Amino acid sequence: MAISLATKAATDSLEINRAPVSVGAQEVHKWLQSFTWDFDKNRTKYSTKYKMANDTKEQFKLIAKEYARMESVKDERQFGSLQDVLTRVDAANRVHPKWNESMKVISNFLEVGEYNAIAATGMLWDSATAPEQKNGYLGQVLDEIRHTNQCGYINYYFAKQGQDAAGHNDARRTRAIGPLWKGMKRVFSDGFISGDAVECSINLQLVGEACFTNPLIVAVTEWASANGDEMTPTVFLSIETDELRHMANGYQTVVSIANDEAASKYLNTDLNNAFWTQQKYFTPVLGMMFEYGSHFKVEPWVKTWNRWVYEDWGGIWIGRLGKYGVESPASLRDAKKDAYWAHHDLFMIAYALWPTGFFRLTLPTAEEAEWYEANYPGWYDMYGKVYEEWRARGCEDPNSGFLPLQWFIENNHPIYIDRVSQVPFCPSYSKGASTLRVLEFNGKKHSFSDQWGERMWLSEPERYECQNIFEQYEGRELSEVIAEGHGVRSDGFTLIAQPHTSKDGRLWTLDDIKKIGCVFADPLKSL
Amino acid sequence: MSIVVSGGKRGLTDPKIAAVILAAIPDQPLETQRKMNYFMTPRGKRINEYETLCCYTQPTPDWIPGGLDWGDWTQKFHGGRPSWSNESTEMHSSDWHKHRDPAFRWHALYVKDKAEEWRYTDRFLKAYSADGHVRSIDPIWRDEVLGDYLGAFGFSEYGLFNSHSSATRDCLGDTLRMSIAMIGLDKVDNAQMIQAERTFLAKLVPSFNESTDVPKKEWTEGSIYKGARETVEEIWQGTYDWNEILFSGHMIYDPLFGQFVRREFFLRLSAYYGDNLTPFFINQMQLYHSQTKGITKDMFHTCLAVDENFGDYNVSLMNMWSDKWLPRTVNALKDFMGIFAKIPTIAGVTDKAAVEAALGRVFEDWKRDYADPIGYKVDTAALIKTVLSGLK
């Protein structure tokens, strides 16, 4: 076989230079945009009113193997810390009990968000037409699997090595009992995966990740560390290293539709809806977990919120997108009001419903009450006094026969669930902006706590049909609901949830609850 | 002491804070059950780390079999379509959480393997180039077969990769979702490795064209990949049922067409044309194929085909899908036979008898591993005859 000119050239060049040659990730990536081709059926399976541009680029240009290398290095550091030094110093048994309980919720609920983001970014991978844009979303699909596993690892670690495994060891089964679950599903699950694909991207990447990731994943590490928890910073900061790429994906989503006419019509409405959807849950829940789920305090939640949400996201991040016609959400001003009081309102309800949780809650101590009053003037008159009353009536003692929920009933303060956000609220005892609105549709009543959610429901009631916990449990006795939802410890009768974290306090059992005879009622039925 | 912590003090290391924390911790752990997910049924004797970290992360209600949640979705698609629903697939299951990756790979284990493969690829390419191996490759094989037809095969892998997007979105279980995303990533990795090989050759052989233009033209307009392209397009975008996407791609098309092209064409023939570069990449693809085979056989054979309530129905459906996708795949192979006219003939290697033997290996492997477990009756000799009719 005759030697070709090319072979000869290759041979000649080898004689001159025998330096080892390889191929870099960028040399492969530069061809990625040409990997696709046009054909009749090449369209997304998930409709969107926007058109994503065919030539959209990604900012982080990874190929599959380089992605794996990068993540593997991070994993080595992270799991090395957890399995080596943190285990040797018995770190899981040096966490304040209140924070140990908070991590049952924070880690598991974040896991749900990460898990649903796998599906969400799968949808975006399908929706995008540009291979680079698909590649960006693909990297995020894999990241979200990573984060799901990482969040699970926190609960796994605390269960295996910590002071109270209950709740860490079965959160995936018991989380559905209580009042925080459905709202969490709205923001972290369905809000990411059910809707116009770009709308879902806005929920996930432009708001969830670019806005609430910072307080959720970064600020939480300061609170964790202050309360003795070094596992959470080890894992969550490793998660955060991926989030920048996800924010970039959200940015590129907007870039990809910037020249589409639909963007000028719908983008700001979708952004406003997404922001309100996310903030409606995260603002009160994060504030509650930080402030009421800790002993040592880092800073008032309202300050954290202002820095990350209002200034950093609402100002700087959205400002950068201004050239694409993106404006700060109209609902940002109302959210700012929620940042001050909504988490105090929510804690009151969460504590009142404590037996339905998969974690222990604690009423503020005297020194914490001082801190709240100093940072939220008016707190004592609204909340502190009530907590004193609850404590005086023995709310922490199983022999008392008193559940704080009874206080709401006795004082005619019904608790409703907002149909759209699924967040509970008590319009007659609240310092936040919640106001009761009730609408009837197809023979069913629906309660709402704000104008933004109500508007979403009025436009598309068929998207928000989910039963709330009061409708689901109506007529059922509380201990039955807890038992059915597996809310008990391994002895089969002691509740996972408890109204205190005192080492000397007695633990409540199913019998203690049953004696009280608490039966669920749907407040909408009495309207 | 004050409950306000400032200056970045840490509870683990600050003595005063640590003392307060330790005083609050119960003298004995409050719970003796320390095994996370203790309530689940493991695949083996004990719950392993993969099952602990992955199982029941899917928050589906109990009306989707296997779900632990209750009630409806809190937000639905415009018009009211549910977030996830049983109607997304014709397959039925008593428990959509039953699937396991046989290698029990959660994310950290998966990326660790691939990271090692990347590092080794880098070391291999440096040694290969320094050793001057490239001089031995037959120029027609190098410039036309690797340049054009291997490049074109990258589009098949890339198309299959994209077929995993909607399956990743729509599937009904957590271990399923993670497996689907991972086997999807392996497919784009294959496409990228093909381009990496072509880019590498371009660095060593000055006139070698690394551009994707000619391969894309071959893929979209040429005759050799016509049947493959049409099949991939139908799997990727013409099919909505996520189980059918996986079944058609991984239980029919790839074990037949993919295996023939990778194993029996590029891998087997490369050594005869002095090419010991391509096997390095194809062998990685074959590893992924093997891992994917374990995953998809678990999905369809270990879980769905023997489902306690729906096994018989599922097997019937798999047979129907085989009827639908097998002829297309056979046609893709028939078109691919045209490639043998493009390469220098080597007796006993590229002649009809050798090709027939290669097809025999692929079809018999497929019959044994994919068709027989679902009782699918297939005349492999007839199928091979059909494929060989494409030999020019």
Side-chain angles (χ1 to χ4, degrees), chain A residues 453-472:
Chain A
E454 185 185 16
R455 284 185 195 186
M456 285 185 235
W457 184 85
L458 283 169
S459 307
E460 301 175 290
E462 68 281 2
R463 294 183 79 186
Y464 312 104
E465 296 173 320
C466 185
Q467 279 188 316
N468 62 49
I469 58 168
F470 295 135
E471 292 164 331
Q472 175 77 10

Side-chain angles (χ1 to χ4, degrees), chain A residues 1 7 21-22 27 34 43 45 65 115 126 169 172 182 185 190 194 225 297 460 463 465 490, chain B residues 3 11 31 33 52 58 69-70 74 76 78 83 122 129 138 142 165 177 189 203 212 237 239:
Chain A
M1 198 173 293
T7 303
V21 171
S22 185
E27 292 173 299
S34 68
R43 73 281 182 270
K45 293 169 186 169
K65 281 188 161 57
Y115 177 78
D126 194 272
N169 61 10
R172 291 173 190 155
K182 288 290 181 194
K185 278 189 84 171
D190 302 336
S194 303
S225 179
K297 315 297 181 196
E460 301 175 290
R463 294 183 79 186
E465 296 173 320
S490 57
Chain B
I3 60 169
E31 172 61 57
Q33 175 53 268
T52 300
Q58 167 94 11
D69 196 2
W70 52 264
T74 57
K76 300 174 187 174
H78 303 282
S83 299
D122 182 58
S129 55
D138 175 89
R142 182 194 61 214
S165 55
R177 181 161 285 103
D189 193 3
K203 285 184 166 186
T212 53
Q237 291 291 38
T239 308

